[in-house]
Amino acid sequence: MVLGALEAGGTKMVCAIGNEQGQVLERVSIPTVSPEETMPQMLSFFKQHNIEALGIGCFGPINPVEGTATYGYITTTPKLAWQNYNIVGAFQEALGCPVGFDTDVNAAVLGEVSFGSMQGLDSCIYVTVGTGVGVGVFTGGRLLHGMMHPEAGHILLQRHPADTYKGKCPFHGNCLEGLASGPAIEERWGAKAETLGDRREVWELEAYYIAQACVNYTLVYSPKRIILGGGVMHQEQLFPLIRRQYQELMADYVITPELENLNRYIIPCSLHDDQGILGCLKLAMDALEKFLARALQHLGL
Ligand code: ADP
Ligand code: ZN
């Protein structure tokens, strides 16, 4: 089966060809400029390969709720050229194949569930801490949308008493993204996060916020595992700091076999940063399956 995958990001569009075994056979990266400039380049790549279905994991906010008027649109994104853009419609029309669509982080959690360390789990989450912070939620065996999709990178946190940084989010002073994203670290400490590896206070504070968020995610989503990915999580020293603070904050309130060993509960991604693109392949497979099921139903079979 020849499947297309598109990891649509604010800075680059990663387009790939793969199969249902989760093998990526070819990929290209195209800068995210505007639909007028970027779409033709992506379409030309996918058209060359004659794909049977396409899966898109997209920066947002988006509307992934089928049956609503703006399904398939990128909605209120700060990337102005893409605001209210019907990305699913554009691909469907040009390629004539089924198109699956979800958030970038829902694609990432789906990638881990389908091909990575969360295989077999019916409830788990994927948190990315990068330029922004986002959470993909897989619960009861499916991706969570609700009225739109979770925006759990913007949950409000208790500020550390010694932290005077105002926060990077233009909407909230003290949300997780505003306090702990890569750009927030950079603005607070005056240097790029990747250059601060040996500054223990940087990562103690970062862990303080990520641990609070993880406790909230456990309490609200009840995931059986939490994966932490994104550029900032390349600082591996964060994991033990987060687990320690998580344990203190949770204070033995929730007691389950999963939480007995936090080394297995709060973990790094397992697919070498390919979780997003592999999740997009799975979105393509699911879209094709749904399309075939509808066609059979239509024929009365
Ligand atoms: P994006 O979120 O844009 O898709 P990333 O997940 O790579 O991309 O996140 C980029 C952010 O992560 C930047 O703010 C950058 O400073 C930070 N970052 C990237 N690599 C590292 C690293 N090794 N250590 C700490 N921070 C990093
Ligand atoms: Zn916010």
Side-chain angles (χ1 to χ4, degrees):
M1 202 182 279
V2 185
L3 300 168
L6 167 59
E7 206 179 1
T11 48
K12 61 180 193 298
M13 299 285 192
V14 180
C15 303
I17 303 299
N19 60 27
E20 66 271 39
Q21 281 87 42
Q23 288 166 317
V24 175
L25 306 168
E26 197 174 331
R27 85 174 80 191
V28 295
S29 177
I30 296 167
T32 306
V33 185
S34 63
E36 294 72 28
E37 204 168 315
T38 314
M39 284 298 293
Q41 298 174 48
M42 295 193 283
L43 286 171
S44 131
F45 173 78
F46 288 121
K47 278 182 180 167
Q48 275 168 34
H49 291 89
N50 238 341
I51 56 175
E52 288 168 70
L54 174 68
I56 307 175
C58 193
F59 67 96
I62 64 170
N63 180 353
V65 184
E66 283 191 77
T68 57
T70 56
Y71 165 71
Y73 281 60
I74 300 172
T75 56
T76 51
T77 172
K79 297 281 292 180
L80 295 181
W82 297 85
Q83 240 180 39
N84 300 315
Y85 181 66
N86 183 0
I87 189 167
V88 170
F91 275 110
Q92 262 169 350
E93 193 176 317
L95 300 175
C97 68
V99 176
F101 184 55
D102 220 308
T103 61
D104 44 9
V105 276
N106 265 358
V109 76
L110 188 62
E112 289 283 357
V113 168
S114 309
F115 303 110
S117 64
M118 303 209 283
Q119 284 178 67
L121 295 184
D122 61 0
S123 296
C124 47
I125 65 169
Y126 176 92
V127 184
T128 182
V129 187
T131 306
V133 180
V135 184
V137 182
F138 189 77
T139 182
R142 54 195 299 179
L143 294 169
L144 181 64
H145 294 135
M147 69 172 176
M148 183 180 86
H149 51 77
E151 275 289 346
H154 290 264
I155 58 168
L156 305 181
L157 300 178
Q158 207 160 49
R159 202 179 268 282
H160 191 284
D163 187 13
T164 55
Y165 174 56
K166 64 184 190 310
K168 189 78 190 163
C169 175
F171 299 93
H172 321 108
N174 60 325
C175 71
L176 174 63
E177 178 170 306
L179 293 172
S181 62
I185 298 174
E186 185 175 339
E187 193 168 70
R188 180 191 287 109
W189 301 99
K192 282 211 162 297
E194 47 270 55
T195 66
L196 296 168
D198 54 358
R199 296 270 302 274
R200 184 156 176 104
E201 68 276 23
V202 171
W203 307 110
E204 285 280 358
L205 184 64
E206 184 69 6
Y208 174 84
Y209 290 128
I210 297 175
Q212 268 193 65
C214 287
V215 167
N216 288 335
Y217 299 148
T218 298
L219 296 173
V220 174
Y221 295 131
S222 200
K224 293 178 180 166
R225 198 166 293 161
I226 297 176
I227 290 194
L228 301 178
V232 171
M233 294 312 304
H234 289 143
Q235 298 291 327
E236 288 171 9
Q237 72 274 27
L238 272 171
F239 283 90
L241 298 175
I242 292 167
R243 293 181 189 119
R244 199 192 66 221
Q245 301 222 36
Y246 177 99
Q247 189 144 30
E248 274 174 31
L249 289 168
M250 187 57 89
D252 285 337
Y253 177 65
V254 177
I255 297 180
T256 63
E258 287 83 359
L259 293 187
E260 260 169 36
N261 182 355
L262 291 183
N263 294 332
R264 291 172 48 82
Y265 185 71
I266 298 176
I267 59 171
C269 55
S270 68
L271 295 166
H272 313 289
D273 286 336
D274 264 356
Q275 56 281 356
I277 208 78
L278 295 179
C280 293
L281 282 180
K282 183 66 166 66
L283 286 175
M285 284 157 61
D286 291 349
L288 186 58
E289 198 171 303
K290 207 184 264 182
F291 172 80
L292 294 174
R294 275 186 198 150
L296 289 177
Q297 200 178 22
H298 192 70
L299 293 169
L301 295 171

Coordinates of all heavy atoms in Angstrom, one line a residue, residues 22-61:
G22 N 4.5 0.9 8.7 CA 5.2 2.0 9.4 C 6.6 2.2 8.8 O 7.5 2.7 9.6
Q23 N 6.8 1.9 7.6 CA 8.1 2.1 7.0 C 8.0 3.4 6.2 O 7.1 3.5 5.3 CB 8.6 1.0 6.1 CG 9.0 -0.2 6.8 CD 9.1 -1.4 5.9 OE1 8.2 -1.7 5.0 NE2 10.1 -2.2 6.1
V24 N 8.9 4.3 6.4 CA 9.0 5.6 5.6 C 10.0 5.3 4.5 O 11.1 5.0 4.7 CB 9.4 6.8 6.5 CG1 9.6 8.0 5.7 CG2 8.4 7.0 7.6
L25 N 9.5 5.5 3.2 CA 10.3 5.1 2.1 C 11.0 6.4 1.5 O 12.1 6.2 0.9 CB 9.5 4.4 1.1 CG 8.7 3.2 1.6 CD1 7.7 2.7 0.7 CD2 9.7 2.1 2.0
E26 N 10.4 7.5 1.6 CA 10.9 8.7 1.1 C 10.4 9.9 1.8 O 9.2 9.8 2.2 CB 10.5 8.8 -0.4 CG 11.4 9.7 -1.2 CD 11.1 9.7 -2.7 OE1 10.7 8.7 -3.2 OE2 11.3 10.8 -3.3
R27 N 11.2 10.9 2.0 CA 10.6 12.1 2.6 C 11.3 13.4 2.1 O 12.5 13.4 1.8 CB 10.6 12.0 4.1 CG 11.9 12.4 4.8 CD 11.7 12.4 6.4 NE 11.8 11.0 6.9 CZ 11.5 10.7 8.1 NH1 11.0 11.6 9.0 NH2 11.7 9.4 8.5
V28 N 10.5 14.5 2.1 CA 11.1 15.8 1.8 C 10.6 16.8 2.8 O 9.5 16.6 3.4 CB 10.7 16.3 0.4 CG1 11.3 15.4 -0.7 CG2 9.2 16.4 0.2
S29 N 11.3 17.9 3.0 CA 10.9 18.9 3.9 C 10.8 20.2 3.1 O 11.7 20.6 2.4 CB 12.0 19.0 5.0 OG 11.7 20.1 5.8
I30 N 9.6 20.9 3.2 CA 9.3 22.1 2.4 C 9.0 23.2 3.4 O 8.2 23.0 4.3 CB 8.1 21.8 1.5 CG1 8.5 20.7 0.5 CG2 7.7 23.1 0.8 CD1 7.3 20.1 -0.2
P31 N 9.6 24.4 3.3 CA 9.4 25.5 4.2 C 7.9 25.9 4.2 O 7.3 25.9 3.1 CB 10.2 26.6 3.7 CG 11.2 26.0 2.8 CD 10.6 24.7 2.2
T32 N 7.3 26.2 5.3 CA 5.9 26.6 5.4 C 5.9 28.1 5.1 O 6.3 28.9 6.0 CB 5.4 26.3 6.8 OG1 5.6 25.0 7.2 CG2 3.9 26.6 6.9
V33 N 5.4 28.5 4.0 CA 5.3 29.9 3.6 C 3.9 30.3 3.6 O 3.3 30.7 4.6 CB 6.1 30.2 2.3 CG1 6.1 31.7 2.0 CG2 7.5 29.7 2.3
S34 N 3.2 30.1 2.4 CA 1.8 30.4 2.3 C 1.2 29.3 1.5 O 1.9 28.5 0.8 CB 1.6 31.7 1.6 OG 2.1 31.6 0.3
P35 N -0.2 29.1 1.6 CA -0.8 28.1 0.8 C -0.5 28.2 -0.7 O -0.2 27.2 -1.4 CB -2.3 28.3 1.0 CG -2.4 28.9 2.4 CD -1.1 29.8 2.5
E36 N -0.5 29.5 -1.2 CA -0.2 29.7 -2.6 C 1.2 29.1 -3.0 O 1.3 28.6 -4.1 CB -0.2 31.2 -3.0 CG -1.6 31.8 -2.8 CD -2.0 32.0 -1.3 OE1 -1.1 32.1 -0.5 OE2 -3.2 31.9 -1.0
E37 N 2.1 29.3 -2.1 CA 3.5 28.9 -2.5 C 3.8 27.5 -2.1 O 4.5 26.8 -2.8 CB 4.5 29.9 -1.7 CG 5.8 30.0 -2.4 CD 6.6 31.1 -1.8 OE1 6.1 32.2 -1.6 OE2 7.8 30.9 -1.5
T38 N 3.3 27.0 -1.0 CA 3.7 25.8 -0.4 C 2.8 24.6 -0.9 O 3.4 23.5 -1.1 CB 3.6 25.8 1.1 OG1 4.2 27.1 1.6 CG2 4.3 24.7 1.8
M39 N 1.6 24.8 -1.1 CA 0.7 23.7 -1.6 C 1.1 23.1 -2.9 O 1.2 21.8 -3.0 CB -0.8 24.2 -1.7 CG -1.5 24.3 -0.4 SD -1.7 22.8 0.6 CE -2.7 21.8 -0.4
P40 N 1.5 23.9 -3.9 CA 1.8 23.2 -5.2 C 3.1 22.3 -5.0 O 3.1 21.3 -5.7 CB 2.2 24.4 -6.1 CG 1.4 25.6 -5.5 CD 1.4 25.3 -4.1
Q41 N 4.0 22.7 -4.2 CA 5.2 21.9 -4.0 C 4.8 20.5 -3.3 O 5.3 19.5 -3.7 CB 6.2 22.6 -3.1 CG 6.7 23.9 -3.7 CD 7.6 24.6 -2.7 OE1 8.5 24.1 -2.1 NE2 7.4 25.9 -2.5
M42 N 3.9 20.6 -2.3 CA 3.5 19.4 -1.6 C 2.7 18.5 -2.6 O 2.9 17.3 -2.6 CB 2.7 19.7 -0.4 CG 3.5 20.5 0.7 SD 2.7 20.5 2.3 CE 1.4 21.7 2.0
L43 N 1.9 19.1 -3.4 CA 1.0 18.3 -4.3 C 1.9 17.6 -5.3 O 1.6 16.5 -5.7 CB 0.0 19.2 -5.0 CG -1.2 19.7 -4.0 CD1 -2.0 20.8 -4.7 CD2 -2.0 18.5 -3.7
S44 N 2.9 18.3 -5.8 CA 3.7 17.7 -6.8 C 4.4 16.5 -6.3 O 4.5 15.5 -6.9 CB 4.7 18.8 -7.4 OG 6.0 18.4 -7.4
F45 N 4.9 16.6 -5.0 CA 5.5 15.4 -4.4 C 4.6 14.2 -4.3 O 4.9 13.1 -4.7 CB 6.1 15.8 -3.0 CG 6.6 14.6 -2.2 CD1 7.9 14.1 -2.5 CD2 5.9 14.0 -1.2 CE1 8.4 13.0 -1.7 CE2 6.3 13.0 -0.5 CZ 7.6 12.5 -0.7
F46 N 3.4 14.5 -3.7 CA 2.4 13.4 -3.5 C 1.9 12.8 -4.9 O 1.7 11.6 -5.0 CB 1.3 13.8 -2.6 CG 1.7 14.0 -1.2 CD1 1.5 15.2 -0.5 CD2 2.3 12.9 -0.5 CE1 1.9 15.4 0.8 CE2 2.7 13.1 0.9 CZ 2.5 14.3 1.5
K47 N 1.7 13.7 -5.9 CA 1.2 13.2 -7.2 C 2.2 12.3 -7.8 O 1.8 11.3 -8.5 CB 0.9 14.4 -8.1 CG -0.4 15.0 -7.8 CD -0.7 16.2 -8.7 CE -2.1 16.8 -8.5 NZ -2.2 18.1 -9.1
Q48 N 3.5 12.6 -7.7 CA 4.5 11.7 -8.2 C 4.4 10.2 -7.8 O 4.8 9.3 -8.4 CB 5.9 12.1 -7.8 CG 6.6 13.2 -8.5 CD 7.8 13.7 -7.7 OE1 8.5 12.9 -7.1 NE2 8.1 15.0 -7.8
H49 N 3.9 10.1 -6.5 CA 3.9 8.7 -5.9 C 2.6 8.0 -6.0 O 2.5 6.9 -5.5 CB 4.4 8.8 -4.5 CG 5.9 9.2 -4.4 ND1 6.3 10.5 -4.3 CD2 7.0 8.5 -4.4 CE1 7.6 10.5 -4.3 NE2 8.0 9.3 -4.3
N50 N 1.6 8.6 -6.6 CA 0.3 7.9 -6.7 C -0.2 7.3 -5.4 O -0.5 6.1 -5.3 CB 0.5 6.8 -7.7 CG -0.4 6.9 -8.9 OD1 -1.4 7.6 -8.8 ND2 -0.1 6.3 -10.0
I51 N -0.3 8.1 -4.4 CA -0.7 7.6 -3.1 C -2.2 7.1 -3.0 O -3.0 7.7 -3.8 CB -0.4 8.6 -2.0 CG1 -1.2 9.9 -2.2 CG2 1.1 8.8 -1.8 CD1 -1.0 10.9 -1.1
E52 N -2.5 6.2 -2.2 CA -3.8 5.7 -2.1 C -4.6 6.4 -1.0 O -5.9 6.4 -1.0 CB -3.8 4.2 -1.7 CG -3.4 3.3 -2.9 CD -3.1 1.9 -2.4 OE1 -4.0 1.2 -2.1 OE2 -1.9 1.5 -2.4
A53 N -3.9 7.1 -0.1 CA -4.6 7.9 0.9 C -3.5 8.8 1.6 O -2.3 8.5 1.5 CB -5.2 7.0 2.0
L54 N -4.0 9.9 2.2 CA -3.0 10.8 2.8 C -3.5 11.0 4.3 O -4.7 11.1 4.6 CB -3.1 12.2 2.1 CG -2.3 13.3 2.7 CD1 -0.8 13.1 2.6 CD2 -2.6 14.6 1.9
G55 N -2.5 11.1 5.2 CA -2.8 11.5 6.6 C -2.0 12.8 6.9 O -0.9 12.9 6.6
I56 N -2.8 13.7 7.5 CA -2.2 15.0 7.9 C -2.2 15.2 9.4 O -3.3 15.2 10.0 CB -2.9 16.2 7.2 CG1 -3.1 16.0 5.7 CG2 -2.2 17.5 7.5 CD1 -4.0 17.0 5.0
G57 N -1.1 15.4 10.0 CA -1.0 15.9 11.4 C -0.6 17.3 11.3 O 0.5 17.7 10.9
C58 N -1.4 18.2 11.9 CA -1.3 19.6 11.5 C -1.2 20.5 12.7 O -1.8 20.3 13.8 CB -2.6 20.0 10.8 SG -2.5 21.6 9.9
F59 N -0.4 21.6 12.6 CA -0.3 22.7 13.6 C -1.7 23.3 13.7 O -2.5 23.2 12.7 CB 0.8 23.7 13.2 CG 0.5 24.5 12.0 CD1 -0.1 25.8 12.1 CD2 0.8 24.1 10.8 CE1 -0.3 26.6 11.0 CE2 0.6 24.8 9.6 CZ 0.0 26.1 9.7
G60 N -2.0 23.9 14.8 CA -3.4 24.4 14.9 C -3.5 25.8 15.5 O -2.5 26.5 15.4
P61 N -4.6 26.1 16.0 CA -5.8 25.2 16.1 C -6.4 24.8 14.8 O -6.3 25.6 13.8 CB -6.8 26.0 16.9 CG -6.0 27.1 17.6 CD -4.8 27.4 16.7

